Amino acid sequence: GAAARLPGAARLAGGDLRHAMDAAAAQLKANLDAIRARIIAACRAAGRDPGEVRLLPVSKTVDEARLRQAYAIGLRELGENKVQEAMAKLEAMADLADLRWVLIGHLQTNKAKYAARFASEFQALDSLRVAEALDAQLQKQGRSLDVLVQVNTSNEASKFGLAPEEVEAFVKQLPAFSSLRVRGLMTLALFSDDQALVRPCFVRLRGLRDRLRQVAPDGIAMDELSMGMSGDFELAIAEGATTVRVGTAIFGSRGTPDSAYWPGFAGNATP
């Protein structure tokens, strides 16, 4: 009868599920390999060493099962925009002790205590209030944190980040916060498919970084340029990016609109 057929049906369903999971993991690896190949090609075209460019996979909205697949194929670092989402994933995957979480989104001062506990890096520092709150919490934890200063290179009022002309004065105040290891700059380029609009954002960040190297206080490094996402990372590499933040081109398109994560999002460019 029907009951007698259940074990076989259950086995078939289980086999289908495993097959689907294997296929999803294979697709993830293919996506990752394709992005790495594009990074290498972009570096060669720019006369750069591919070893100078770090790929930061962006895992916002990606579920735990998919992130475990990502870990299984060798990813050990993930970028998240929101503290709560990052913490939920961190707790769910606490067994993966060597997985690092990089915060790439705006941080509110009241979330600094959480960020100080788990973040391996913070790429969106753009206010002294946040610097002060983070530093105080890091002192309590007895740890330091690599940070990048976020710059609004597109001059869009809806975006976080300092105006380029404000960055020098800001950076000169950061040695007061001894737990913050300042490593460089981060930007979100204009969301556009038009390279003529996107490229100047990257040029601006590199130029600013080069000027800051001359005037930055002791202990403030200006080596890192985190810029470029799924739609524009090759352009960013051509202009000197040391970190590219890639999400959809690795994990596939998201169910959550980008406007929920990036204020001022318009068009179809995505991390």
Side-chain angles (χ1 to χ4, degrees), residues 5 8 20 40 44 53 63 72 75 105 123 127 134 141 169 176 185 210 215 226 240 251 268:
R5 291 198 302 273
I40 290 168
R44 287 188 177 142
V53 179
D63 65 29
L75 293 183
Q123 293 199 359
S127 82
L134 253 184
Q141 299 284 332
L185 306 175
D210 291 347
V215 298
S226 176
F251 293 109
N268 58 8

Side-chain angles (χ1 to χ4, degrees), residues 160-265:
F160 293 111
L162 294 163
E165 62 272 15
E166 296 173 348
V167 176
E168 181 179 334
F170 179 75
V171 163
K172 286 182 173 177
Q173 296 180 77
L174 295 180
F177 309 107
S178 59
S179 297
L180 304 182
R181 294 192 301 252
V182 182
R183 298 299 193 207
L185 306 175
M186 181 272 256
T187 200
L188 288 163
L190 194 75
F191 288 113
S192 172
D193 293 328
D194 185 348
Q195 293 191 2
L197 297 176
V198 174
R199 188 185 286 268
C201 297
F202 300 145
V203 172
R204 210 166 284 139
L205 196 71
R206 188 191 66 212
L208 179 60
R209 189 273 312 269
D210 291 347
R211 288 195 303 280
L212 289 172
R213 277 180 163 165
Q214 312 302 317
V215 298
D218 287 347
I220 302 290
M222 278 291 145
D223 298 323
E224 299 299 321
L225 289 178
S226 176
M227 58 189 195
M229 302 191 296
S230 286
D232 57 20
F233 70 83
E234 280 125 332
L235 265 184
I237 287 170
E239 296 301 338
T242 62
T243 294
V244 293
R245 309 180 303 273
V246 179
T248 52
I250 296 173
F251 293 109
S253 58
R254 302 189 187 95
T256 307
D258 281 278
S259 54
Y261 287 87
W262 299 118
F265 172 80

